[in-house]
Each structure stands twice: as C-alpha cells, then as structure tokens.
Amino acid sequence: TQLLEQSPQFLSIQEGENLTVYCNSSSVFSSLQWYRQEPGEGPVLLVTVVTGGEVKKLKRLTFQFGDARKDSSLHITAAQPGDTGLYLCAGGGGSNYKLTFGKGTLLTVNP
Amino acid sequence: DTGVSQDPRHKITKRGQNVTFRCDPISEHNRLYWYRQTLGQGPEFLTYFQNEAQLEKSRLLSDRFSAERPKGSFSTLEIQRTEQGDSAMYLCASSFGPSAGGLTGELFFGEGSRLTVL
C-alpha cells in the first residue's frame, strides 16, 4: 500500500508570511498532484508534476517534485487569506488509474 | 454548469436505512471515480469505472456498498443498511483516460454528498 505523509497537519500564519508544506512517501510515484479543498467543496487541482526534480510555479505557489519521485513540496510566498484551505497531495501509481491522497495540510491565513 | 454534479448534497438518515447517491460526470470523460472522505482525512479511493465497466473496488467497499454506471454516463452509489461509520463525504470525480504517457489525467471533483447516519 502506497502512503503519503503530509506535514504539517495544521498551519496558521499571518497574511504576508511565506510557508512550505511537505508530502513524503517511501514509494515512488509516476506523478504527483496537488489539490486545494475548501470547506464543503470537492478538491480542485493546482498542479501535476511528473519528472524527478521538476519545479513548477503558479503565481505565488512553487511546487517541487523530489529527484527520486518520492516526495514533493509546496511553497507559498506572501500568503493571503484567500489561500486558506486544505492542501492535498495525491500520487499516481504504476497503473495510474487511481490516486492515493495524503491527509492534507489545513492552512489558515489570518488577515 | 458543465462540471461534475452530485445529488443530494446532504443526506441525514437513520442507521439501517438505505441511501443512494448520484453523480453526473463531465460528459466527455470516460472515467468516473468514487472517493470517501472523513473529517481530518484525505479522500480514500472506493471504486472506479471506465465507461460502464467497474474496473476496481477498494476493500473499503463492503458488500453493503454497490456502485453502477449504466451506459457509461451517470453513476449511482448505494449503501444498504447504513451504519454510523458510514458517515462521511462521498466524492465523485471524472477524468479522461490515461494520456499517451499512461499518466492519470486531472480529476475533476464534484462538491460531494455528505452523509450523516444517526
């Protein structure tokens, strides 16, 4: 069974601060996706990374896939209250037809 | 709205009753997934369909659960003889089939159906 561990589980920061959340596994994933979920809603895809060492930027969000494709990080610069939500990482396995999700990092950005 | 839609959004039922959830995927997507999410957890895979064929079921899907996707369009998830442990958000997602590189495409999630079993 492939498991994804996300840390920290909870993070509360002030507007304007930077933060990094992590997604780690002992398994290799063919691809890794990051989703953001707001209360009462379904997850929404932010990015997919597929190549070891890959870095993708989405405005103030920077995503990195580890060289060995076992871990990933999400860095947010100058966080805003609108960034508040549950950030989930999800790994695609060899068969690639389903995703394994981590438990998520619940981020609160206070104004 | 051409996104994934789920119905009902909320369902409160008594233990032992049967419930059914419906999911209408994005029309051109051939894959449909059901996930379950409990408080403080990420979504857990339950089952998935490619067109009308149910290709895998998680061991989380006990014999009280049944999912169908007749004609490869909408899907239903039925839970019989509900238990309090079934209380969760049931999420449906759809996607295209694998890309040329065999990678899972983006999953588009619905807003979920929240089940509360009293």
Side-chain angles (χ1 to χ4, degrees):
Chain A
T1 302
Q2 296 177 308
L3 295 175
L4 284 166
E5 300 286 339
Q6 291 192 243
S7 62
Q9 189 175 356
F10 302 97
L11 186 58
S12 180
I13 62 171
Q14 294 300 121
E15 183 176 1
E17 292 183 359
N18 301 334
L19 68 112
T20 302
V21 298
Y22 300 92
C23 175
N24 295 292
S25 175
S26 58
S27 303
V28 175
F29 288 96
S30 301
S31 66
L32 199 138
Q33 300 179 349
W34 284 91
Y35 289 80
R36 187 166 79 95
Q37 184 177 25
E38 298 189 21
E41 305 290 330
V44 176
L45 180 70
L46 296 173
V47 76
T48 300
V49 287
V50 299
T51 305
E54 181 176 4
V55 177
K56 281 192 174 179
K57 292 190 176 183
L58 185 66
K59 296 183 179 178
R60 294 176 294 101
L61 278 60
T62 302
F63 304 85
Q64 185 164 7
F65 201 12
D67 291 341
R69 291 185 291 135
K70 293 183 178 180
D71 57 272
S72 181
S73 63
L74 159 59
H75 181 79
I76 302 179
T77 303
Q80 299 176 0
D83 295 327
T84 293
L86 179 68
Y87 288 82
L88 295 158
C89 66
S95 56
N96 286 311
Y97 56 78
K98 64 182 181 184
L99 295 176
T100 300
F101 282 84
K103 293 184 178 182
T105 292
L106 185 60
L107 171 65
T108 303
V109 182
N110 302 298
Chain B
D1 187 4
T2 57
V4 177
S5 62
Q6 293 188 243
D7 183 71
R9 292 289 311 278
H10 303 276
K11 178 71 177 178
I12 300 173
T13 191
K14 293 183 179 179
R15 188 178 55 183
Q17 298 295 305
N18 300 341
V19 296
T20 299
F21 301 115
R22 177 182 169 119
C23 172
D24 287 274
I26 294 173
S27 58
E28 56 267 32
H29 286 174
N30 60 346
R31 289 188 168 177
L32 185 148
Y33 308 78
W34 284 100
Y35 282 81
R36 181 175 70 185
Q37 187 175 26
T38 53
L39 199 61
Q41 303 291 322
E44 297 174 294
F45 172 80
L46 292 179
T47 188
Y48 102 102
F49 294 83
Q50 177 142 331
N51 301 312
E52 66 276 9
Q54 187 174 19
L55 297 187
E56 183 171 336
K57 295 191 294 185
S58 163
R59 65 177 185 273
L60 294 175
L61 216 63
S62 75
D63 57 6
R64 297 184 297 105
F65 289 71
S66 62
E68 295 182 342
R69 193 185 182 196
K71 303 178 183 178
S73 56
F74 71 92
S75 176
T76 58
L77 176 68
E78 181 183 16
I79 309 174
Q80 296 182 326
R81 305 181 303 282
T82 53
E83 301 173 356
Q84 289 182 326
D86 297 332
S87 295
M89 174 80 87
Y90 290 85
L91 292 164
C92 176
S94 68
S95 76
F96 290 109
S99 67
L103 299 176
T104 299
E106 174 182 357
L107 265 60
F108 291 80
F109 282 87
E111 294 177 321
S113 293
R114 179 166 294 284
L115 173 65
T116 302
V117 182
L118 302 176

